[in-house]
Amino acid sequence: MRASPPPAERTDHRQPEGGFGEAVRLTVPVAMAYIPLGVAFGVLLTASGINWYWAPLSTLLIYAGSIEFLAVGFMVAGLPLYQVAFTSLIVNFRHIFYGLSFPIDRLRGRARKAYGVFALTDETYGITSAGPGMHLTGRQITVLQVVSHVWWFLGALLGALLGQVIPESVKGFEFALTAMFLTLAVNAVRTSRSATLVLLALGAGVVGYLVDRYVIGESFLIVSLLLYVVVISAMYRKDRDRDRDKDKDKDKGGDAPAEDSKEQAK
């Protein structure tokens, strides 16, 4: 009598959780950026007259990089809450698109998913969306985000402590925010090589300045950002419609020779 084959073992197709070493290694380039920027942020905050402990506290509660720099100016200037909220939305609007492809399904449990959303930054998204980071497990993604968060926290804490011992006679730290955004703007121009976007940004800034000066006070940032977003959205829609019309024309052009061949065959 022939022995029946053993029943197939039940396999678990879930992706196994990985170790910490690979995820920590991927955070090294992040540390190279987060620690110097965090130090600059901590020094800027204390130099602006804000208590030092707000630097590490903001990294734990906000953790949004550029917004934390902007928040220093917001607190010093005493901007209204609606303007702070709108500016934060515009500056971090890109995170909505990050969420569309972020592998949150690998994170198990509500706590890890919630932290994964909170700690989603440009750098961690870039790591998980390309290269070896695309294959990280859920545990490795959490480790990647936690360690990156720690780098930013340590940088801000170190900067805040350094700011306590730097003499008040040393000036110029308040220019750190302007310098950072100028650098980002220059890099963006080099990448896109589009003079149109630069001119639009300058034009929006001029309109925002005029509105702030002659119409509604304390409205420069919100008017400039809103105008810029509206204009580039209209440009994108116009380009999309034009490409769609070109595709339709190509389809019509491809159908015409087929109809002619049918007529000749008759």
Side-chain angles (χ1 to χ4, degrees), residues 110-154:
R110 293 183 179 179
R112 286 167 64 175
K113 290 181 183 291
Y115 181 76
V117 173
F118 168 74
L120 182 59
T121 63
D122 298 336
E123 291 75 16
T124 55
Y125 173 78
I127 291 174
T128 58
S129 61
M134 294 180 64
H135 307 292
L136 294 179
T137 64
R139 179 181 298 174
Q140 288 175 320
I141 292 174
T142 300
V143 171
L144 171 76
Q145 291 185 300
V146 169
V147 175
S148 298
H149 199 167
V150 169
W151 292 134
W152 180 244
F153 170 83
L154 291 177

Side-chain angles (χ1 to χ4, degrees), residues 46-222:
T46 54
S48 300
I50 303 172
N51 290 327
W52 70 271
Y53 55 80
W54 281 107
L57 188 60
S58 70
T59 63
L60 294 175
L61 300 178
I62 303 176
Y63 190 37
S66 56
I67 282 297
E68 291 180 57
F69 276 92
L70 288 173
V72 175
F74 293 162
M75 288 188 284
V76 173
L79 294 183
L81 185 59
Y82 77 90
Q83 190 165 346
V84 174
F86 179 80
T87 304
S88 301
L89 175 64
I90 294 298
V91 172
N92 288 326
F93 193 77
R94 65 191 184 281
H95 287 264
I96 295 177
F97 301 99
Y98 290 171
L100 297 177
S101 57
F102 179 68
I104 195 172
D105 56 300
R106 302 180 199 169
L107 305 179
R108 301 176 188 172
R110 293 183 179 179
R112 286 167 64 175
K113 290 181 183 291
Y115 181 76
V117 173
F118 168 74
L120 182 59
T121 63
D122 298 336
E123 291 75 16
T124 55
Y125 173 78
I127 291 174
T128 58
S129 61
M134 294 180 64
H135 307 292
L136 294 179
T137 64
R139 179 181 298 174
Q140 288 175 320
I141 292 174
T142 300
V143 171
L144 171 76
Q145 291 185 300
V146 169
V147 175
S148 298
H149 199 167
V150 169
W151 292 134
W152 180 244
F153 170 83
L154 291 177
L157 178 61
L158 178 60
L161 295 178
L162 287 175
Q164 294 290 102
V165 299
I166 294 177
E168 294 184 359
S169 58
V170 179
K171 303 294 183 181
F173 288 107
E174 63 278 2
F175 188 72
L177 179 61
T178 304
M180 184 188 74
F181 279 101
L182 281 175
T183 303
L184 292 175
V186 170
N187 288 336
V189 172
R190 287 179 176 177
T191 302
S192 65
R193 299 183 181 277
S194 174
T196 303
L197 296 179
V198 176
L199 293 176
L200 285 176
L202 291 174
V206 171
V207 173
Y209 172 78
L210 294 175
V211 172
D212 177 81
R213 185 173 179 84
Y214 298 108
V215 183
I216 304 174
E218 302 295 338
S219 62
F220 167 74
L221 193 58
I222 188 171

Side-chain angles (χ1 to χ4, degrees), residues 26 30 109 137 142 220 225 228:
L26 290 174
V30 178
T137 64
T142 300
F220 167 74
L225 287 174
Y228 184 74

